[in-house]
Amino acid sequence: MTPVHCLHADHALVEGVWRTDVRVAVGEDGRILRVDCEVPPQPGDQPLRDRVLLPAPANLHSHAFQRAMAGRTERRHAQRDSFWSWREQMYRFVGRMTPDDLRAVAAFAYMEMLETGFAAVAEFHYLHHAPDGQPYANPASMSAAILAAAGDAGIGLTHLPVLYQRGGLAGEAVEGGQRRFAHTLDDYAALIARLLSQWQHAPADCGLGVAPHSLRAVDAEGLCMAAALLPDAPVHLHIAEQQAEVDAVLAATGQRPLAYLLDRVEVDHRWCLVHATHLDDAELAALARSGATVGLAPITEANLGDGLFPAVEALELGQRWGVGSDSNVRIDLAGELRTLEYGQRLMRQARCVLADAQRSTGRLLFDQACAGGAAALGRRSGAIAVGHWADLLTLDRHAVDLCGVDGDAWLDAWVFAAATPTVAEVWSAGRQMVSAGRHRDRDALTRAYRQTLQRMTRA
Ligand code: ZN
Protein backbone atom coordinates (compact mmCIF):
# COMPACT_ATOMS: atom_id res chain seq x y z
CA MET A 1 0.00 0.00 0.00
CA THR A 2 1.37 3.44 -0.87
CA PRO A 3 1.30 6.09 1.83
CA VAL A 4 -1.36 8.67 1.21
CA HIS A 5 -0.25 11.22 3.71
CA CYS A 6 2.99 12.07 5.48
CA LEU A 7 3.45 14.26 8.54
CA HIS A 8 6.78 15.76 9.46
CA ALA A 9 7.25 17.02 13.01
CA ASP A 10 10.19 18.77 14.69
CA HIS A 11 9.71 16.66 17.81
CA ALA A 12 7.77 13.50 18.56
CA LEU A 13 7.38 10.84 21.23
CA VAL A 14 8.10 7.67 19.23
CA GLU A 15 7.52 4.40 21.07
CA GLY A 16 8.37 6.07 24.35
CA VAL A 17 11.48 8.00 23.18
CA TRP A 18 11.75 11.70 22.35
CA ARG A 19 12.95 12.02 18.75
CA THR A 20 13.54 14.91 16.35
CA ASP A 21 12.66 15.40 12.67
CA VAL A 22 10.11 12.63 12.65
CA ARG A 23 8.27 11.60 9.49
CA VAL A 24 5.09 9.57 9.92
CA ALA A 25 3.47 7.96 6.88
CA VAL A 26 -0.24 7.25 7.26
CA GLY A 27 -1.90 4.73 4.97
CA GLU A 28 -5.22 5.05 3.24
CA ASP A 29 -6.73 2.82 5.92
CA GLY A 30 -5.81 5.26 8.70
CA ARG A 31 -2.97 3.20 10.14
CA ILE A 32 0.64 4.22 10.53
CA LEU A 33 2.67 2.71 7.70
CA ARG A 34 6.12 3.93 8.48
CA VAL A 35 7.98 6.05 11.06
CA ASP A 36 11.39 7.60 10.31
CA CYS A 37 13.37 9.72 12.74
CA GLU A 38 16.11 12.31 12.18
CA VAL A 39 15.11 12.68 8.52
CA PRO A 40 14.34 15.86 6.54
CA PRO A 41 10.84 16.55 5.22
CA GLN A 42 10.02 15.51 1.67
CA PRO A 43 7.96 17.44 -0.87
CA GLY A 44 4.26 17.05 -0.12
CA ASP A 45 4.72 16.34 3.60
CA GLN A 46 2.39 18.14 6.02
CA PRO A 47 4.83 20.20 8.08
CA LEU A 48 4.25 20.31 11.85
CA ARG A 49 6.63 23.11 12.75
CA ASP A 50 6.97 24.19 16.35
CA ARG A 51 4.87 21.23 17.32
CA VAL A 52 5.34 18.22 19.56
CA LEU A 53 3.74 15.15 17.98
CA LEU A 54 2.25 12.66 20.44
CA PRO A 55 0.01 9.61 20.33
CA ALA A 56 -3.56 10.68 21.14
CA PRO A 57 -5.02 8.62 24.00
CA ALA A 58 -8.47 7.07 24.02
CA ASN A 59 -11.14 8.21 26.47
CA LEU A 60 -12.04 4.96 28.17
CA HIS A 61 -15.34 5.89 29.82
CA SER A 62 -18.10 8.20 28.64
CA HIS A 63 -21.84 8.59 29.07
CA ALA A 64 -22.21 11.13 26.27
CA PHE A 65 -25.81 12.15 27.07
CA GLN A 66 -24.73 13.46 30.47
CA ARG A 67 -22.85 16.29 28.72
CA ALA A 68 -26.21 18.06 28.49
CA MET A 69 -26.42 18.15 32.33
CA ALA A 70 -22.95 19.61 32.87
CA GLY A 71 -22.98 22.42 35.40
CA ARG A 72 -26.73 22.02 35.97
CA THR A 73 -26.66 19.86 39.09
CA GLU A 74 -24.65 21.99 41.48
CA ARG A 75 -27.51 23.16 43.70
CA ARG A 76 -27.88 21.21 46.95
CA HIS A 77 -31.13 19.22 47.11
CA ALA A 78 -30.62 17.34 50.34
CA GLN A 79 -28.91 18.07 53.61
CA ARG A 80 -26.07 15.93 52.37
CA ASP A 81 -26.06 15.85 48.57
CA SER A 82 -24.36 12.81 47.05
CA PHE A 83 -23.90 10.60 44.05
CA TRP A 84 -27.31 9.12 44.80
CA SER A 85 -29.21 12.43 44.77
CA TRP A 86 -27.30 13.39 41.59
CA ARG A 87 -28.46 10.12 40.09
CA GLU A 88 -32.10 11.05 40.73
CA GLN A 89 -31.59 14.34 38.87
CA MET A 90 -29.94 12.44 36.03
CA TYR A 91 -32.89 10.05 35.77
CA ARG A 92 -35.35 12.97 35.57
CA PHE A 93 -33.24 14.68 32.94
CA VAL A 94 -32.84 11.70 30.62
CA GLY A 95 -36.58 11.15 30.62
CA ARG A 96 -36.79 13.63 27.78
CA MET A 97 -33.99 12.61 25.43
CA THR A 98 -34.83 11.30 21.93
CA PRO A 99 -32.44 9.57 19.50
CA ASP A 100 -31.98 12.85 17.60
CA ASP A 101 -31.26 14.69 20.87
CA LEU A 102 -28.73 12.03 21.81
CA ARG A 103 -26.99 12.32 18.45
CA ALA A 104 -26.60 16.10 18.77
CA VAL A 105 -25.43 15.96 22.40
CA ALA A 106 -23.01 13.10 21.80
CA ALA A 107 -21.56 14.66 18.65
CA PHE A 108 -20.88 17.87 20.60
CA ALA A 109 -19.23 15.93 23.44
CA TYR A 110 -17.13 13.93 20.97
CA MET A 111 -16.05 17.16 19.26
CA GLU A 112 -14.87 18.49 22.62
CA MET A 113 -13.04 15.23 23.32
CA LEU A 114 -11.14 15.57 20.05
CA GLU A 115 -10.28 19.20 20.74
CA THR A 116 -8.80 18.25 24.10
CA GLY A 117 -6.67 15.47 22.61
CA PHE A 118 -8.69 12.25 22.79
CA ALA A 119 -8.79 10.39 19.45
CA ALA A 120 -11.32 7.74 20.43
CA VAL A 121 -13.95 7.01 23.05
CA ALA A 122 -15.46 4.01 24.81
CA GLU A 123 -19.14 4.87 25.07
CA PHE A 124 -20.73 3.06 28.03
CA HIS A 125 -24.22 3.25 26.62
CA TYR A 126 -27.27 2.53 28.76
CA LEU A 127 -29.95 4.86 27.43
CA HIS A 128 -31.59 2.28 25.18
CA HIS A 129 -35.37 2.67 25.21
CA ALA A 130 -38.08 5.28 24.68
CA PRO A 131 -39.02 7.55 27.62
CA ASP A 132 -41.87 5.23 28.63
CA GLY A 133 -39.42 2.32 28.92
CA GLN A 134 -40.65 0.58 25.76
CA PRO A 135 -38.09 -0.43 23.14
CA TYR A 136 -38.07 1.72 20.02
CA ALA A 137 -39.39 0.12 16.80
CA ASN A 138 -35.73 -0.45 16.05
CA PRO A 139 -34.44 -1.45 19.52
CA ALA A 140 -30.95 -0.26 18.54
CA SER A 141 -32.05 3.31 17.68
CA MET A 142 -30.07 4.89 20.49
CA SER A 143 -26.93 2.89 19.60
CA ALA A 144 -27.40 4.02 16.00
CA ALA A 145 -27.52 7.62 17.28
CA ILE A 146 -24.20 7.09 19.07
CA LEU A 147 -22.59 5.61 15.96
CA ALA A 148 -23.92 8.52 13.87
CA ALA A 149 -22.61 11.03 16.44
CA ALA A 150 -19.15 9.44 16.32
CA GLY A 151 -19.28 9.80 12.54
CA ASP A 152 -20.43 13.44 12.81
CA ALA A 153 -17.46 14.26 15.04
CA GLY A 154 -14.96 11.90 13.37
CA ILE A 155 -13.95 10.23 16.64
CA GLY A 156 -12.98 6.54 16.94
CA LEU A 157 -15.61 4.59 18.85
CA THR A 158 -15.76 1.46 20.93
CA HIS A 159 -19.46 1.13 21.58
CA LEU A 160 -20.43 -0.65 24.80
CA PRO A 161 -24.16 -1.38 25.02
CA VAL A 162 -24.98 -1.81 28.68
CA LEU A 163 -26.77 -4.72 30.30
CA TYR A 164 -29.01 -3.43 33.11
CA GLN A 165 -31.18 -6.22 34.51
CA ARG A 166 -32.51 -4.99 37.82
CA GLY A 167 -32.98 -2.07 40.15
CA GLY A 168 -30.79 -3.38 42.97
CA LEU A 169 -28.92 -6.24 44.58
CA ALA A 170 -32.06 -7.90 45.92
CA GLY A 171 -33.44 -8.19 42.40
CA GLU A 172 -35.68 -5.12 42.66
CA ALA A 173 -37.59 -4.21 39.50
CA VAL A 174 -36.29 -1.25 37.55
CA GLU A 175 -38.39 1.83 38.09
CA GLY A 176 -38.71 5.43 36.94
CA GLY A 177 -35.76 6.64 34.89
CA GLN A 178 -34.14 3.20 35.00
CA ARG A 179 -36.82 1.75 32.70
CA ARG A 180 -35.02 3.23 29.71
CA PHE A 181 -31.93 1.15 30.57
CA ALA A 182 -33.35 -2.34 31.22
CA HIS A 183 -33.07 -5.58 29.25
CA THR A 184 -33.76 -9.22 29.93
CA LEU A 185 -30.79 -11.42 29.10
CA ASP A 186 -32.51 -12.62 25.91
CA ASP A 187 -33.29 -9.09 24.75
CA TYR A 188 -29.73 -8.02 25.47
CA ALA A 189 -28.34 -10.92 23.41
CA ALA A 190 -30.69 -9.92 20.57
CA LEU A 191 -29.48 -6.31 20.78
CA ILE A 192 -25.84 -7.39 20.52
CA ALA A 193 -26.65 -9.66 17.54
CA ARG A 194 -28.42 -6.79 15.79
CA LEU A 195 -25.52 -4.41 16.46
CA LEU A 196 -22.99 -6.94 15.19
CA SER A 197 -24.62 -6.90 11.77
CA GLN A 198 -25.08 -3.10 11.89
CA TRP A 199 -21.38 -2.66 12.73
CA GLN A 200 -20.32 -4.36 9.49
CA HIS A 201 -21.07 -1.01 7.85
CA ALA A 202 -19.31 1.09 10.50
CA PRO A 203 -15.86 2.62 9.95
CA ALA A 204 -13.09 0.05 10.45
CA ASP A 205 -11.87 1.73 13.65
CA CYS A 206 -15.29 1.52 15.32
CA GLY A 207 -15.53 -1.48 17.61
CA LEU A 208 -18.13 -3.16 19.74
CA GLY A 209 -17.94 -4.51 23.27
CA VAL A 210 -20.24 -5.32 26.17
CA ALA A 211 -20.87 -3.62 29.47
CA PRO A 212 -22.64 -5.26 32.38
CA HIS A 213 -23.55 -2.04 34.21
CA SER A 214 -22.57 -2.82 37.80
CA LEU A 215 -22.99 -5.48 40.43
CA ARG A 216 -26.13 -3.62 41.56
CA ALA A 217 -27.76 -3.93 38.15
CA VAL A 218 -26.47 -7.31 36.89
CA ASP A 219 -26.52 -10.73 38.59
CA ALA A 220 -23.89 -13.46 38.31
CA GLU A 221 -25.68 -15.13 35.40
CA GLY A 222 -25.84 -11.80 33.56
CA LEU A 223 -22.13 -11.16 34.13
CA CYS A 224 -21.13 -14.51 32.65
CA MET A 225 -23.57 -14.27 29.77
CA ALA A 226 -22.52 -10.74 28.80
CA ALA A 227 -18.81 -11.62 28.93
CA ALA A 228 -19.38 -14.64 26.68
CA LEU A 229 -21.42 -12.84 24.01
CA LEU A 230 -18.43 -11.30 22.19
CA PRO A 231 -15.53 -13.54 23.23
CA ASP A 232 -12.67 -11.30 22.08
CA ALA A 233 -14.23 -7.91 22.73
CA PRO A 234 -13.82 -5.43 25.59
CA VAL A 235 -15.93 -5.92 28.73
CA HIS A 236 -16.49 -2.86 30.92
CA LEU A 237 -18.13 -2.73 34.36
CA HIS A 238 -18.63 -0.10 37.07
CA ILE A 239 -16.99 -1.89 40.00
CA ALA A 240 -16.71 0.12 43.23
CA GLU A 241 -17.48 3.80 42.73
CA GLN A 242 -19.19 4.53 46.01
CA GLN A 243 -18.58 3.27 49.55
CA ALA A 244 -22.34 2.69 49.89
CA GLU A 245 -22.15 0.40 46.88
CA VAL A 246 -19.33 -1.62 48.47
CA ASP A 247 -21.31 -1.89 51.71
CA ALA A 248 -24.42 -3.04 49.84
CA VAL A 249 -22.53 -5.71 47.87
CA LEU A 250 -20.88 -6.91 51.06
CA ALA A 251 -24.22 -7.09 52.86
CA ALA A 252 -25.96 -8.90 49.99
CA THR A 253 -23.22 -11.35 49.03
CA GLY A 254 -20.77 -11.52 51.92
CA GLN A 255 -17.99 -10.35 49.61
CA ARG A 256 -16.50 -7.05 48.53
CA PRO A 257 -17.25 -6.16 44.88
CA LEU A 258 -14.00 -7.17 43.21
CA ALA A 259 -13.68 -10.37 45.23
CA TYR A 260 -17.28 -11.24 44.28
CA LEU A 261 -16.58 -10.57 40.60
CA LEU A 262 -13.34 -12.57 40.46
CA ASP A 263 -15.07 -15.56 42.04
CA ARG A 264 -17.78 -15.66 39.37
CA VAL A 265 -16.24 -14.80 36.04
CA GLU A 266 -12.80 -14.93 34.46
CA VAL A 267 -11.48 -11.38 34.46
CA ASP A 268 -8.57 -10.83 32.06
CA HIS A 269 -7.04 -8.22 29.74
CA ARG A 270 -10.41 -7.72 27.99
CA TRP A 271 -11.86 -6.18 31.12
CA CYS A 272 -11.95 -2.54 32.13
CA LEU A 273 -13.07 -2.00 35.71
CA VAL A 274 -14.36 1.52 35.94
CA HIS A 275 -14.09 3.39 39.25
CA ALA A 276 -11.97 0.80 41.06
CA THR A 277 -12.05 3.41 43.80
CA HIS A 278 -12.78 1.44 46.93
CA LEU A 279 -10.49 -1.61 46.96
CA ASP A 280 -8.70 -3.23 49.84
CA ASP A 281 -5.12 -4.50 49.51
CA ALA A 282 -6.12 -8.04 48.59
CA GLU A 283 -8.47 -6.81 45.87
CA LEU A 284 -5.81 -4.47 44.49
CA ALA A 285 -3.29 -7.30 44.21
CA ALA A 286 -5.83 -9.63 42.61
CA LEU A 287 -6.78 -6.92 40.14
CA ALA A 288 -3.16 -6.39 39.08
CA ARG A 289 -2.74 -10.15 38.58
CA SER A 290 -5.86 -10.33 36.40
CA GLY A 291 -4.47 -8.15 33.59
CA ALA A 292 -7.59 -5.94 33.58
CA THR A 293 -7.39 -2.19 33.05
CA VAL A 294 -8.64 0.25 35.67
CA GLY A 295 -10.85 3.03 34.31
CA LEU A 296 -10.50 6.29 36.22
CA ALA A 297 -12.54 9.43 35.69
CA PRO A 298 -10.88 11.85 38.10
CA ILE A 299 -12.94 14.96 37.26
CA THR A 300 -16.26 13.13 37.51
CA GLU A 301 -15.14 11.23 40.60
CA ALA A 302 -14.30 14.56 42.22
CA ASN A 303 -17.58 16.11 41.07
CA LEU A 304 -19.61 13.20 42.45
CA GLY A 305 -17.62 12.88 45.67
CA ASP A 306 -16.71 9.25 44.93
CA GLY A 307 -13.35 8.96 46.67
CA LEU A 308 -9.74 8.43 45.61
CA PHE A 309 -8.20 5.46 43.83
CA PRO A 310 -5.14 4.00 45.63
CA ALA A 311 -2.95 4.97 42.66
CA VAL A 312 0.46 4.69 44.32
CA GLU A 313 -0.16 1.17 45.54
CA ALA A 314 -1.56 0.24 42.12
CA LEU A 315 1.49 1.70 40.36
CA GLU A 316 3.80 -0.39 42.53
CA LEU A 317 1.86 -3.48 41.48
CA GLY A 318 2.23 -2.59 37.79
CA GLN A 319 -1.50 -1.95 37.41
CA ARG A 320 -2.52 -0.48 34.05
CA TRP A 321 -5.03 2.36 34.13
CA GLY A 322 -6.43 4.98 31.81
CA VAL A 323 -8.76 7.95 32.07
CA GLY A 324 -12.25 8.75 30.90
CA SER A 325 -14.52 11.77 30.99
CA ASP A 326 -17.49 9.74 32.35
CA SER A 327 -20.26 12.27 33.15
CA ASN A 328 -18.62 14.79 30.82
CA VAL A 329 -19.17 17.57 33.37
CA ARG A 330 -15.91 18.96 31.98
CA ILE A 331 -14.15 17.41 28.98
CA ASP A 332 -10.44 17.95 29.45
CA LEU A 333 -7.75 15.32 28.91
CA ALA A 334 -5.00 17.30 30.65
CA GLY A 335 -7.47 18.14 33.43
CA GLU A 336 -8.21 14.46 34.06
CA LEU A 337 -4.50 13.74 34.51
CA ARG A 338 -3.97 16.80 36.71
CA THR A 339 -6.98 15.98 38.90
CA LEU A 340 -5.76 12.41 39.34
CA GLU A 341 -2.34 13.58 40.53
CA TYR A 342 -3.71 16.38 42.71
CA GLY A 343 -6.06 13.99 44.49
CA GLN A 344 -3.07 11.82 45.37
CA ARG A 345 -1.04 14.86 46.51
CA LEU A 346 -3.84 16.08 48.76
CA MET A 347 -4.30 12.62 50.24
CA ARG A 348 -0.58 12.05 50.85
CA GLN A 349 0.55 15.61 51.52
CA ALA A 350 3.34 15.11 49.00
CA ARG A 351 4.32 16.31 45.51
CA CYS A 352 5.08 14.50 42.23
CA VAL A 353 3.41 11.36 43.52
CA LEU A 354 2.73 9.55 40.23
CA ALA A 355 6.24 9.82 38.82
CA ASP A 356 9.12 7.36 38.75
CA ALA A 357 12.90 7.49 38.51
CA GLN A 358 12.81 7.80 34.72
CA ARG A 359 9.70 9.83 34.04
CA SER A 360 8.22 13.12 35.22
CA THR A 361 4.69 13.22 36.60
CA GLY A 362 3.11 14.55 33.40
CA ARG A 363 4.94 11.94 31.37
CA LEU A 364 3.96 9.00 33.54
CA LEU A 365 0.33 10.11 33.65
CA PHE A 366 0.29 10.53 29.87
CA ASP A 367 1.91 7.13 29.25
CA GLN A 368 -0.69 5.49 31.48
CA ALA A 369 -3.53 7.23 29.65
CA CYS A 370 -2.17 5.99 26.31
CA ALA A 371 -1.67 2.38 27.41
CA GLY A 372 -4.85 2.12 29.46
CA GLY A 373 -7.04 3.74 26.81
CA ALA A 374 -5.77 1.43 24.07
CA ALA A 375 -6.24 -1.70 26.18
CA ALA A 376 -9.70 -0.72 27.38
CA LEU A 377 -11.01 0.06 23.90
CA GLY A 378 -9.32 -2.95 22.28
CA ARG A 379 -7.89 -0.36 19.89
CA ARG A 380 -4.39 -0.65 18.47
CA SER A 381 -3.28 2.82 19.46
CA GLY A 382 -1.47 4.69 22.20
CA ALA A 383 1.93 4.84 20.47
CA ILE A 384 3.44 6.27 17.31
CA ALA A 385 4.28 2.86 15.89
CA VAL A 386 3.83 0.98 12.62
CA GLY A 387 0.47 -0.79 12.41
CA HIS A 388 -1.23 1.40 15.00
CA TRP A 389 -4.16 3.64 14.12
CA ALA A 390 -2.90 7.13 13.35
CA ASP A 391 -4.40 8.56 16.56
CA LEU A 392 -2.19 11.60 16.98
CA LEU A 393 -2.12 15.02 18.57
CA THR A 394 0.26 17.94 18.57
CA LEU A 395 1.14 20.42 21.29
CA ASP A 396 1.80 23.96 20.15
CA ARG A 397 5.31 24.96 21.21
CA HIS A 398 4.29 28.61 20.82
CA ALA A 399 2.00 28.20 23.83
CA VAL A 400 3.55 30.42 26.47
CA ASP A 401 3.80 27.69 29.09
CA LEU A 402 5.82 25.47 26.75
CA CYS A 403 8.43 28.17 26.19
CA GLY A 404 11.98 27.06 27.02
CA VAL A 405 11.19 23.47 28.09
CA ASP A 406 11.56 20.16 26.31
CA GLY A 407 11.07 16.41 26.61
CA ASP A 408 8.89 15.27 29.50
CA ALA A 409 8.60 18.90 30.60
CA TRP A 410 6.37 19.57 27.57
CA LEU A 411 3.87 17.16 29.06
CA ASP A 412 4.27 18.63 32.54
CA ALA A 413 3.62 22.13 31.19
CA TRP A 414 0.55 20.97 29.31
CA VAL A 415 -0.90 18.94 32.19
CA PHE A 416 -0.16 21.28 35.08
CA ALA A 417 0.27 24.82 33.74
CA ALA A 418 -1.22 25.54 30.36
CA ALA A 419 -4.28 27.75 30.60
CA THR A 420 -4.47 28.58 26.92
CA PRO A 421 -5.35 25.89 24.36
CA THR A 422 -2.21 23.88 23.82
CA VAL A 423 -3.50 21.02 21.70
CA ALA A 424 -3.17 22.22 18.11
CA GLU A 425 -3.96 19.30 15.77
CA VAL A 426 -5.71 16.00 16.38
CA TRP A 427 -6.12 13.00 14.09
CA SER A 428 -8.32 9.98 14.71
CA ALA A 429 -7.37 6.95 12.57
CA GLY A 430 -5.72 9.36 10.17
CA ARG A 431 -8.70 11.74 9.96
CA GLN A 432 -7.54 15.24 10.86
CA MET A 433 -10.47 16.63 12.83
CA VAL A 434 -8.78 19.47 14.75
CA SER A 435 -6.60 22.28 13.35
CA ALA A 436 -5.28 25.23 15.33
CA GLY A 437 -7.17 23.90 18.35
CA ARG A 438 -10.55 23.91 16.63
CA HIS A 439 -12.70 21.04 15.39
CA ARG A 440 -13.42 21.41 11.70
CA ASP A 441 -17.21 21.25 12.23
CA ARG A 442 -17.32 23.19 15.50
CA ASP A 443 -19.88 25.76 14.34
CA ALA A 444 -22.43 23.27 12.97
CA LEU A 445 -22.08 20.84 15.89
CA THR A 446 -22.38 23.67 18.43
CA ARG A 447 -25.49 25.04 16.73
CA ALA A 448 -27.18 21.63 16.76
CA TYR A 449 -26.24 21.11 20.42
CA ARG A 450 -27.54 24.53 21.46
CA GLN A 451 -30.88 23.93 19.72
CA THR A 452 -31.19 20.54 21.39
CA LEU A 453 -30.45 21.96 24.84
CA GLN A 454 -33.00 24.73 24.35
CA ARG A 455 -35.66 22.24 23.33
CA MET A 456 -34.87 19.86 26.18
CA THR A 457 -34.83 22.51 28.87
CA ARG A 458 -38.12 24.02 27.60
CA ALA A 459 -39.88 20.64 27.61
ZN1 ZN B 1 -19.90 5.60 34.41
Side-chain angles (χ1 to χ4, degrees):
M1 190 189 302
T2 49
V4 293
H5 193 64
C6 289
L7 311 173
H8 188 277
D10 303 350
H11 300 273
L13 185 60
V14 179
E15 299 195 64
V17 181
W18 293 108
R19 308 293 293 262
T20 55
D21 290 311
V22 175
R23 192 164 184 268
V24 178
V26 179
E28 208 167 339
D29 62 355
R31 292 182 190 270
I32 295 173
L33 276 179
R34 193 182 160 99
V35 182
D36 294 293
C37 303
E38 287 83 42
V39 295
Q42 293 184 17
D45 287 2
Q46 180 178 353
L48 301 171
R49 292 201 189 93
D50 296 318
R51 298 285 197 258
V52 181
L53 183 67
L54 301 168
N59 177 347
L60 58 59
H61 192 66
S62 161
H63 310 290
F65 71 87
Q66 293 177 10
R67 176 63 183 83
M69 300 167 56
R72 293 159 194 261
T73 58
E74 303 302 327
R75 181 173 288 276
R76 191 159 69 191
H77 286 269
Q79 192 54 35
R80 180 177 159 80
D81 221 318
S82 69
F83 171 88
W84 308 101
S85 47
W86 171 86
R87 193 177 73 155
E88 286 306 316
Q89 293 183 64
M90 188 262 284
Y91 287 170
R92 277 198 295 278
F93 187 82
V94 304
R96 306 174 190 134
M97 199 171 258
T98 67
D100 285 345
D101 293 338
L102 177 62
R103 178 172 177 171
V105 172
F108 183 80
Y110 296 161
M111 173 194 80
E112 291 186 314
M113 290 175 198
L114 285 157
E115 287 184 345
T116 192
F118 288 120
V121 60
E123 179 65 29
F124 195 105
H125 170 73
Y126 55 88
L127 194 56
H128 297 297
H129 306 312
D132 62 0
Q134 292 301 309
Y136 287 103
N138 168 6
S141 294
M142 291 299 242
S143 285
I146 290 292
L147 182 61
D152 294 342
I155 201 166
L157 173 71
T158 293
H159 186 58
L160 304 164
V162 167
L163 171 62
Y164 202 104
Q165 286 175 281
R166 58 184 185 179
L169 282 150
E172 297 91 329
V174 292
E175 54 181 35
Q178 295 172 338
R179 290 181 306 150
R180 299 194 72 177
F181 315 157
H183 281 105
T184 64
L185 296 186
D186 286 347
D187 288 346
Y188 183 70
L191 174 71
I192 296 293
R194 180 185 277 265
L195 288 173
L196 264 182
S197 74
Q198 214 166 306
W199 245 245
Q200 289 171 359
H201 310 290
D205 69 311
C206 285
L208 203 55
V210 294
H213 179 275
S214 59
L215 300 183
R216 296 192 301 278
V218 177
D219 64 19
E221 184 190 3
L223 282 172
C224 296
M225 189 278 260
L229 274 177
L230 298 173
D232 300 318
V235 187
H236 287 221
L237 169 79
H238 292 132
I239 185 69
E241 180 169 9
Q242 285 278 321
Q243 187 59 49
E245 180 180 19
V246 176
D247 296 343
V249 172
L250 195 54
T253 70
Q255 286 180 292
R256 294 175 57 85
L258 189 74
Y260 173 89
L261 178 73
L262 293 174
D263 271 0
R264 277 153 190 86
V265 60
E266 193 185 331
V267 173
D268 59 14
H269 68 280
R270 294 166 60 205
W271 285 71
C272 177
L273 299 178
V274 182
H275 310 302
T277 310
H278 300 284
L279 303 182
D280 66 17
D281 291 347
E283 287 177 301
L284 205 56
L287 179 57
R289 282 195 302 274
S290 74
T293 301
V294 164
L296 301 172
I299 293 175
T300 295
E301 288 159 4
N303 183 271
L304 296 178
D306 288 341
L308 290 166
F309 172 64
V312 173
E313 294 78 358
L315 190 64
E316 284 166 2
L317 292 165
Q319 175 64 53
R320 183 175 55 231
W321 75 72
V323 294
S325 58
D326 194 0
S327 71
N328 295 309
V329 62
R330 166 92 187 167
I331 295 175
D332 180 357
L333 167 55
E336 296 292 355
L337 302 179
R338 183 170 62 246
T339 305
L340 173 58
E341 168 69 14
Y342 280 174
Q344 304 295 315
R345 290 187 189 190
L346 289 163
M347 181 166 60
R348 294 177 164 263
Q349 301 178 40
R351 295 193 70 251
C352 303
V353 175
L354 298 174
D356 61 22
Q358 292 78 38
R359 294 173 294 177
S360 72
T361 318
R363 172 67 189 281
L364 187 144
L365 290 164
F366 184 76
D367 285 353
Q368 287 280 356
C370 287
L377 271 73
R379 183 177 176 91
R380 198 151 180 233
S381 65
I384 300 178
V386 172
H388 283 221
W389 292 111
D391 287 357
L392 303 167
L393 71 86
T394 62
L395 300 183
D396 180 3
R397 290 176 60 220
H398 290 300
V400 67
D401 292 298
L402 270 63
C403 174
V405 298
D406 65 4
D408 287 5
W410 282 317
L411 292 167
D412 295 332
W414 174 38
V415 169
F416 292 102
T420 51
T422 309
V423 174
E425 287 93 11
V426 181
W427 295 259
S428 173
R431 302 175 292 265
Q432 184 174 350
M433 302 313 299
V434 176
S435 304
R438 211 179 142 81
H439 190 280
R440 69 185 190 195
D441 295 322
R442 171 165 259 287
D443 290 343
L445 295 173
T446 304
R447 200 163 42 243
Y449 176 65
R450 194 184 287 276
Q451 286 166 356
T452 299
L453 265 190
Q454 281 165 346
R455 195 169 53 247
M456 284 185 68
T457 46
R458 263 202 313 268

PDB file of all heavy atoms in Angstrom, residues 61 63 238 275 326, ligand 1:
ATOM      1  N   HIS A  61     -14.017   5.992  29.175  1.00  0.00           N
ATOM      2  CA  HIS A  61     -15.336   5.886  29.822  1.00  0.00           C
ATOM      3  C   HIS A  61     -16.136   7.160  29.614  1.00  0.00           C
ATOM      4  O   HIS A  61     -15.762   8.223  30.120  1.00  0.00           O
ATOM      5  CB  HIS A  61     -15.167   5.617  31.320  1.00  0.00           C
ATOM      6  CG  HIS A  61     -16.438   5.213  32.004  1.00  0.00           C
ATOM      7  ND1 HIS A  61     -17.096   4.025  31.727  1.00  0.00           N
ATOM      8  CD2 HIS A  61     -17.197   5.835  32.949  1.00  0.00           C
ATOM      9  CE1 HIS A  61     -18.179   3.935  32.480  1.00  0.00           C
ATOM     10  NE2 HIS A  61     -18.268   5.019  33.226  1.00  0.00           N
ATOM     11  N   HIS A  63     -20.386   8.638  29.277  1.00  0.00           N
ATOM     12  CA  HIS A  63     -21.836   8.587  29.070  1.00  0.00           C
ATOM     13  C   HIS A  63     -22.156   9.907  28.381  1.00  0.00           C
ATOM     14  O   HIS A  63     -22.362  10.938  29.035  1.00  0.00           O
ATOM     15  CB  HIS A  63     -22.598   8.494  30.399  1.00  0.00           C
ATOM     16  CG  HIS A  63     -22.084   7.417  31.316  1.00  0.00           C
ATOM     17  ND1 HIS A  63     -22.247   6.081  31.047  1.00  0.00           N
ATOM     18  CD2 HIS A  63     -21.392   7.482  32.478  1.00  0.00           C
ATOM     19  CE1 HIS A  63     -21.689   5.369  32.026  1.00  0.00           C
ATOM     20  NE2 HIS A  63     -21.161   6.201  32.896  1.00  0.00           N
ATOM     21  N   HIS A 238     -18.836  -0.980  35.913  1.00  0.00           N
ATOM     22  CA  HIS A 238     -18.633  -0.099  37.070  1.00  0.00           C
ATOM     23  C   HIS A 238     -18.400  -1.009  38.283  1.00  0.00           C
ATOM     24  O   HIS A 238     -19.287  -1.786  38.629  1.00  0.00           O
ATOM     25  CB  HIS A 238     -19.885   0.727  37.368  1.00  0.00           C
ATOM     26  CG  HIS A 238     -20.230   1.769  36.343  1.00  0.00           C
ATOM     27  ND1 HIS A 238     -21.491   1.912  35.830  1.00  0.00           N
ATOM     28  CD2 HIS A 238     -19.491   2.744  35.771  1.00  0.00           C
ATOM     29  CE1 HIS A 238     -21.525   2.938  34.999  1.00  0.00           C
ATOM     30  NE2 HIS A 238     -20.314   3.458  34.927  1.00  0.00           N
ATOM     31  N   HIS A 275     -13.966   2.934  37.855  1.00  0.00           N
ATOM     32  CA  HIS A 275     -14.089   3.385  39.247  1.00  0.00           C
ATOM     33  C   HIS A 275     -13.693   2.273  40.214  1.00  0.00           C
ATOM     34  O   HIS A 275     -14.484   1.865  41.072  1.00  0.00           O
ATOM     35  CB  HIS A 275     -15.515   3.839  39.605  1.00  0.00           C
ATOM     36  CG  HIS A 275     -16.136   4.811  38.657  1.00  0.00           C
ATOM     37  ND1 HIS A 275     -15.574   6.025  38.371  1.00  0.00           N
ATOM     38  CD2 HIS A 275     -17.280   4.759  37.936  1.00  0.00           C
ATOM     39  CE1 HIS A 275     -16.354   6.672  37.520  1.00  0.00           C
ATOM     40  NE2 HIS A 275     -17.389   5.934  37.238  1.00  0.00           N
ATOM     41  N   ASP A 326     -16.330  10.227  31.609  1.00  0.00           N
ATOM     42  CA  ASP A 326     -17.489   9.744  32.355  1.00  0.00           C
ATOM     43  C   ASP A 326     -18.733  10.618  32.219  1.00  0.00           C
ATOM     44  O   ASP A 326     -19.384  10.604  31.183  1.00  0.00           O
ATOM     45  CB  ASP A 326     -17.081   9.551  33.827  1.00  0.00           C
ATOM     46  CG  ASP A 326     -18.086   8.737  34.620  1.00  0.00           C
ATOM     47  OD1 ASP A 326     -19.097   8.321  34.034  1.00  0.00           O
ATOM     48  OD2 ASP A 326     -17.870   8.504  35.828  1.00  0.00           O
TER      49      ASP A 326
HETATM   50 ZN    ZN B   1     -19.902   5.596  34.408  1.00  0.00          ZN
END
